[in-house]
Amino acid sequence: MQVVGLFCDSLTNRLTTSLLSCPVINENRMMLAAGVAVLALIAGCGNDSTSSNGSSPKETTETSSSATPEIKDPAVEAAALRTVDPCALLNETTLGDTGTLVPDSLSTLDWGECGVDVTDASGKTVEFVLRVGDQIILVDDPTEELEGLPLVVDDEDKESCWISVVTSYELSLAITFQVDYVGGDGCAAGKAALTKVVQAVHNNPPQYQQVPGSVLTVDPCTVADKEAIETALGQKSFMEVKNLHVCDFWSGDGTNYPLVSVSLLKGLPPDAEDGEPVDLGGGVTAIQAKEVDSSTVSCDVSWREIETPSEDEAPGWGELVSVEISGEPADLDAATACDKAVAVAKTVVPSLG
């Protein structure tokens, strides 16, 4: 059964909750940030990148030609983009063509995501959200380029425009601006800003500051044991890269339940009120949290890998690891879901050192 819509609902709820609990999001941008994240997830759901055996599913080959050339650009490879700080890219250099940055409007959502407001010459507010290494859905092969990379523009509504450069066809990843410009041309503003961003990415881009033990550079698609994942799913897995820090493993060769998700995130760690503690070995205690509704059953096993205190973060804030398994109530119960999620999570712990 295809469960894209149901899965989108689940992801939307989880991400919106995460955004609302983030201590560093500017209140004036809260609704935009949540809305953009939700729209991006909805746009991304149903995308098929590459399966675990390297083949592409039928859905992709039917909607996009196989003539797309491989992108050979070291600056935009996944490993290189993982450490790029998008907030540091939102400055007067990249956005000055549109206007003046609004003081204190810079807001971080998670790794690879950042937003800011700009005031144009006429006093209109332009809202930018930059996403580095996020999933993109390609219905047709791009016919334009920007700074040497394939350009994709969703200009159905110029006041609210999505503009992207593809960084990997194989992983279906891109650098994307979402621009809300009431009374203006969001596509033009987005293209001007994206041009400057890609130029910066090609020329010593700003980097996140890393602390010892950080999982920032870790590929979420490689940290869990493949055999453990496919044991949990009961069959071979289809890998879908959601972004540079989240990887999904669907059942079979498409987006079918059950699903295993591995996420590397920033946030506050779960506690006993969120679920039940579970020993993963290696000195790691996680919290397993069950969720059951009429359409899905899921269990999330998550823990804080390291704490990263700073004056801008709430006490206990840090880098989190999450392993979740989801399925349909007819095929999966909560206790079994937790057993499966724990089994996969136990293979993640040693891979993170």
Side-chain angles (χ1 to χ4, degrees), residues 121-305:
S122 65
K124 295 186 181 71
T125 297
V126 191
E127 300 172 330
F128 289 89
V129 174
L130 174 63
R131 304 166 72 85
V132 176
D134 197 49
Q135 188 184 63
I136 186 170
I137 305 303
L138 294 176
V139 176
D140 298 302
D141 293 339
T143 58
E144 300 181 71
E145 285 192 351
L146 185 149
E147 295 297 313
L149 295 172
L151 176 67
V152 180
V153 180
D154 179 0
D155 58 359
E156 188 172 329
D157 179 359
K158 287 186 177 295
E159 289 189 350
S160 183
C161 188
W162 291 76
I163 181 166
S164 309
V165 287
V166 181
T167 59
S168 173
Y169 284 117
E170 180 184 10
L171 301 178
S172 297
L173 292 176
I175 299 172
T176 298
F177 262 117
Q178 197 271 336
V179 185
D180 283 340
Y181 193 175
V182 177
D185 189 339
C187 292
K191 187 173 183 179
L194 188 58
T195 299
K196 297 293 183 62
V197 163
V198 177
Q199 289 172 351
V201 167
H202 280 137
N203 184 27
N204 193 27
Q207 304 286 303
Y208 283 114
Q209 290 186 350
Q210 297 181 53
V211 298
S214 174
V215 297
L216 171 66
T217 61
V218 174
D219 182 351
C221 297
T222 65
V223 292
D225 179 74
K226 180 180 177 181
E227 183 178 351
I229 290 173
E230 296 191 342
T231 297
L233 295 175
Q235 57 182 304
K236 68 177 183 178
S237 60
F238 163 71
M239 188 182 80
E240 181 185 31
V241 181
K242 300 300 292 186
N243 59 49
L244 294 174
H245 307 282
V246 180
C247 194
D248 291 343
F249 299 88
W250 296 92
S251 300
D253 58 1
T255 49
N256 302 299
Y257 272 147
L259 160 73
V260 171
S261 296
V262 178
S263 304
L264 307 174
L265 312 165
K266 297 190 299 180
L268 292 172
D271 56 35
E273 295 182 358
D274 299 314
E276 302 174 6
V278 57
D279 183 7
L280 299 182
V284 174
T285 299
I287 296 295
Q288 59 179 21
K290 307 171 185 176
E291 185 173 341
V292 180
D293 58 35
S294 60
S295 59
T296 57
V297 173
S298 66
C299 183
D300 177 84
V301 176
S302 56
W303 67 96
R304 185 181 63 200
E305 184 69 14

Side-chain angles (χ1 to χ4, degrees), residues 28-80:
N28 294 332
R29 297 187 56 80
M30 185 73 73
M31 294 308 296
L32 168 66
V36 167
V38 168
L39 284 172
L41 285 170
I42 292 172
C45 286
N47 174 46
D48 296 326
S49 51
T50 56
S51 65
S52 57
N53 63 7
S55 62
S56 297
K58 294 180 180 178
E59 289 88 342
T60 299
T61 57
E62 289 174 353
T63 58
S64 180
S65 114
S66 59
T68 52
E70 181 182 358
I71 296 173
K72 297 181 179 179
D73 185 343
V76 298
E77 290 179 353

